[in-house]
Amino acid sequence: MESKSISFLEVIQPFFAAPVFLSVVAGFPPMPVAWLIALAPWLLYIGLTRRFIRRTPFDVPIIIYCLGLLIGFLVSPNRAISSEALLTTFASILIYYGLVNNAGRGRAYWLTMASVCGVIILGLIIWFFSQGDARHMFFNEWLFKLAATLPKTSGPVLQWNSIGIFLAVVIPLIISVALFSKGTTHLIMLTSGIFLSVILFLSASGGGWGAVTCGIIFVLAAWRLRTLCLTVPSTGVVIAVIAANYHKFSWPSQIFAIGSLTSRIDIWLKTIDVMKKSWFTGLGLGTWSEVFKGWIHAHSSYLQLWADTGIVGVLAAIVALVLFLRISWRILTVPRQSHWFGIGVGLIGGMLAGAAASVFDVITYGA
């Protein structure tokens, strides 16, 4: 009886923290209730198994990062904002370890999880096109009109780079699984990858387009190294064509706005200047916008991390980077016959896409 209870608790662990995010986005359930839902099953699980989590290579940077979060919270000038950032980040960590605890599950479990993720992705796509902060272009106007009849919400909405970068991180994984698999899995993942790539194109997210290019070039190179002879020159040609037509048509200057880039550089320089006085502790978790009125975030995940968690958070990122490079090398050098090889390559490609996007945006923000 106990083993069945433990098994059930492990299976549903990744979903425990979902109410925390619903509380922030939709205001329901109340945050105390959300955390009761999130923590009560974990406490029961610990009582039954006498263990909290399975160890992972990223435990140390996560612990360091949590210390940075607490420092950012303690120095925060606005505890209300900081508490939301703190709690949602802790909820994300619970989801991570919930998945880790199920690492030994079979194919059926992970197919189910993939299906759940697919439903979430589809929901985010519908949410964006029905009421997001849209960038209407001649090639996507029809889709926004099609989705205009859907019900509206009064809560926060997705901005084009939010959905674009999210898809840019997911697509390399799907494409990689398609390339390194056969049969039904190959067809399903290839179809999904093409579908999401079309949606990414229709989002008109320049950041997403650039990020996914980095991820896919890596995935294709890991599949067949000679693809670099095609992908790199092709990317150069596309960039040249866009540059040559930058002022001839309206869409290049909207999707790849020079003004947006210069404003970002200005924000980065101002952030660095302000951080000189708080280089160790940061400005306070999630309170960068309190200092820079009229802006939501620093438009760079790396500067935002420094501003939110200080030098301790930066240290956590450096340690995580070293571990990521080490693990990536191990993945790329294992025999390709392993069914995890394609997934591993895809995860690396998705992380590279996210790292590229992080230079110009804060990918953990939905706005």
Side-chain angles (χ1 to χ4, degrees):
M1 179 69 181
E2 181 180 284
S3 62
K4 290 184 178 180
S5 299
I6 294 173
S7 179
F8 176 73
L9 286 172
E10 282 184 340
V11 166
I12 63 174
Q13 270 182 345
F15 303 101
F16 290 161
V20 176
F21 296 96
L22 290 175
S23 179
V24 173
V25 174
F28 182 84
M31 189 59 76
V33 175
W35 269 100
L36 178 63
I37 296 172
L39 290 179
W42 274 92
L43 295 175
L44 179 60
Y45 174 79
I46 294 170
L48 291 173
T49 63
R50 298 295 189 269
R51 70 168 184 265
F52 176 44
I53 57 172
R54 297 178 188 270
R55 295 186 62 182
T56 76
F58 292 100
D59 292 345
V60 171
I62 287 174
I63 292 172
I64 298 173
Y65 179 55
C66 287
L67 291 175
L69 290 172
L70 293 174
I71 292 173
F73 179 77
L74 291 175
V75 302
S76 170
N78 189 326
R79 293 290 176 84
I81 293 176
S82 295
S83 63
E84 283 191 358
L86 184 70
L87 293 176
T88 52
T89 305
F90 283 160
S92 299
I93 294 172
L94 282 182
I95 293 174
Y96 168 75
Y97 281 110
L99 292 171
V100 167
N101 282 347
N102 286 281
R105 298 280 165 191
R107 182 183 178 88
Y109 175 81
W110 290 106
L111 286 176
T112 302
M113 292 300 295
S115 300
V116 171
C117 291
V119 171
I120 294 173
I121 292 171
L122 185 60
L124 289 174
I125 291 170
I126 295 172
W127 182 27
F128 170 72
F129 284 103
S130 64
Q131 53 212 307
D133 185 1
R135 179 181 273 161
H136 291 239
M137 311 296 294
F138 72 93
F139 54 79
N140 65 14
E141 186 70 30
W142 64 273
L143 186 54
F144 285 109
K145 289 181 179 179
L146 185 65
T149 57
L150 295 174
K152 307 298 179 183
T153 62
S154 57
V157 295
L158 283 174
Q159 189 253 8
W160 55 81
N161 274 342
S162 300
I163 188 68
I165 293 171
F166 174 76
L167 292 176
V169 172
V170 172
I171 289 172
L173 172 59
I174 295 176
I175 295 296
S176 181
V177 174
L179 291 174
F180 291 98
S181 61
K182 299 178 180 179
T184 304
T185 302
H186 171 77
L187 292 175
I188 292 174
M189 300 307 284
L190 182 61
T191 303
S192 301
I194 293 173
F195 169 74
L196 293 181
S197 296
V198 171
I199 294 298
L200 174 58
F201 172 74
L202 294 174
S203 72
S205 168
W209 292 4
V212 79
T213 299
C214 297
I216 290 180
I217 287 177
F218 171 81
V219 168
L220 291 175
W223 176 59
R224 298 283 190 276
L225 186 59
R226 61 179 178 269
T227 60
L228 289 174
C229 298
L230 176 64
T231 55
V232 174
S234 298
T235 301
V237 169
V238 171
I239 293 173
V241 169
I242 292 175
N245 292 278
Y246 192 81
H247 295 293
K248 292 182 180 179
F249 303 99
S250 61
W251 66 267
S253 60
Q254 294 180 43
I255 296 176
F256 303 101
I258 294 178
S260 178
L261 176 60
T262 55
S263 66
R264 277 169 163 77
I265 294 174
D266 182 57
I267 291 172
W268 299 341
L269 294 175
K270 290 179 178 177
T271 300
I272 293 172
D273 186 58
V274 171
M275 285 296 296
K276 290 177 181 178
K277 301 177 182 177
S278 306
W279 65 271
F280 185 82
T281 62
L283 302 176
L285 184 59
T287 60
W288 181 93
S289 58
E290 296 285 296
V291 178
F292 296 88
K293 303 295 183 181
W295 294 92
I296 299 174
H297 51 68
H299 283 284
S300 169
S301 293
Y302 308 109
L303 283 178
Q304 189 74 46
L305 175 68
W306 186 23
D308 283 346
T309 60
I311 202 68
V312 176
V314 173
L315 175 62
I318 294 172
V319 174
L321 174 62
V322 172
L323 291 170
F324 168 72
L325 293 174
R326 184 178 178 184
I327 293 170
S328 297
W329 177 252
R330 289 182 177 178
I331 291 173
L332 294 174
T333 54
V334 300
R336 292 192 173 211
Q337 287 74 22
S338 171
H339 66 284
W340 287 106
F341 185 78
I343 296 175
V345 168
L347 288 172
I348 297 171
M351 291 180 184
L352 290 176
S358 295
V359 175
F360 301 100
D361 263 299
V362 180
I363 63 175
T364 53
Y365 282 57

